[in-house]
Amino acid sequence: SRVSALEIGLGYFGSTHVLWRLLFGHSATIECNKDRVFLFRENCRRHLGEHVLDDGKSSFFFGMSSSPSTLHMVRRHFGCNGIDLLFIDGDHRYESVVADWLLYHSLVAPGGIVAFHDAVAGISGGGVPQFLEELSSGNIDGVKRDVKRIIHSRDCGVAYYVNG
């Protein structure tokens, strides 16, 4: 099976998608803004000399991550093999982070990584850090998770745990 990453939210520049393409055999991103994906494609072509939408290493799902049709497309795409990385970087409101985690964390293979961007309250407005505290303490689903944080600024950072 191919090693794969699923990212929720492309962001303004798509830099994490480029990183996932370098680290994984296949990268997929859920993005609700089609213009961001097309701009990303043009920037990759211009700056990297790569056509990322047709090389088999990238997939994009257009729609809201919380949409049943998006979830269905993602599940159909990855099958039941599991993904190796889930990177949650969509809407940073608490309710949205909870929804993204509830819908997609079960796709992560044992030993895979579930990661969250903007793990510091300075950028996310509190939604991601609040969710991470509740996830660590077991208040989300009764399972305490060992959430690690990579933070080198007061405004942003990444948190992750290894799926057991």
Side-chain angles (χ1 to χ4, degrees):
S1 72
R2 61 186 179 182
V3 178
S4 56
L6 173 64
E7 169 182 53
I8 299 175
L10 182 62
Y12 292 107
F13 303 107
S15 55
T16 51
H17 189 90
V18 171
L19 176 63
W20 308 144
R21 284 174 52 82
L22 295 172
L23 296 173
F24 295 93
H26 183 75
S27 303
T29 297
I30 300 169
E31 177 57 56
C32 62
N33 185 332
K34 285 185 179 183
D35 290 339
R36 280 189 183 173
V37 174
F38 296 134
L39 179 61
F40 171 72
R41 175 191 64 192
E42 290 308 310
N43 285 336
C44 285
R45 186 187 56 73
R46 187 176 330 123
H47 299 291
L48 303 175
E50 294 183 12
H51 297 279
V52 300
L53 297 185
D54 61 0
D55 67 358
K57 286 192 70 166
S58 289
S59 297
F60 291 90
F61 301 100
F62 298 114
M64 297 297 293
S65 57
S66 59
S67 164
S69 62
T70 302
L71 177 61
H72 177 72
M73 286 187 295
V74 169
R75 286 184 179 273
R76 191 173 69 226
H77 180 78
F78 285 107
C80 53
N81 294 333
I83 56 176
D84 300 290
L85 170 71
L86 171 62
F87 187 68
I88 298 176
D89 188 20
D91 183 343
H92 293 76
R93 292 176 298 159
Y94 175 81
E95 297 80 9
S96 299
V97 178
V98 170
D100 285 343
W101 183 82
L102 286 172
L103 290 170
Y104 294 95
H105 84 278
S106 65
L107 296 176
V108 179
I113 295 172
V114 179
F116 304 84
H117 192 244
D118 295 328
V120 177
I123 283 184
S124 68
V128 178
Q130 178 186 350
F131 174 78
L132 292 171
E133 288 305 316
E134 293 181 11
L135 189 66
S136 296
S137 65
N139 290 341
I140 298 295
D141 64 349
V143 177
K144 292 181 180 182
R145 289 181 175 78
D146 184 18
V147 176
K148 310 277 189 210
R149 289 169 173 79
I150 304 169
I151 299 171
H152 294 287
S153 101
R154 62 189 161 123
D155 294 322
C156 59
V158 172
Y160 70 95
Y161 69 89
V162 177
N163 193 34

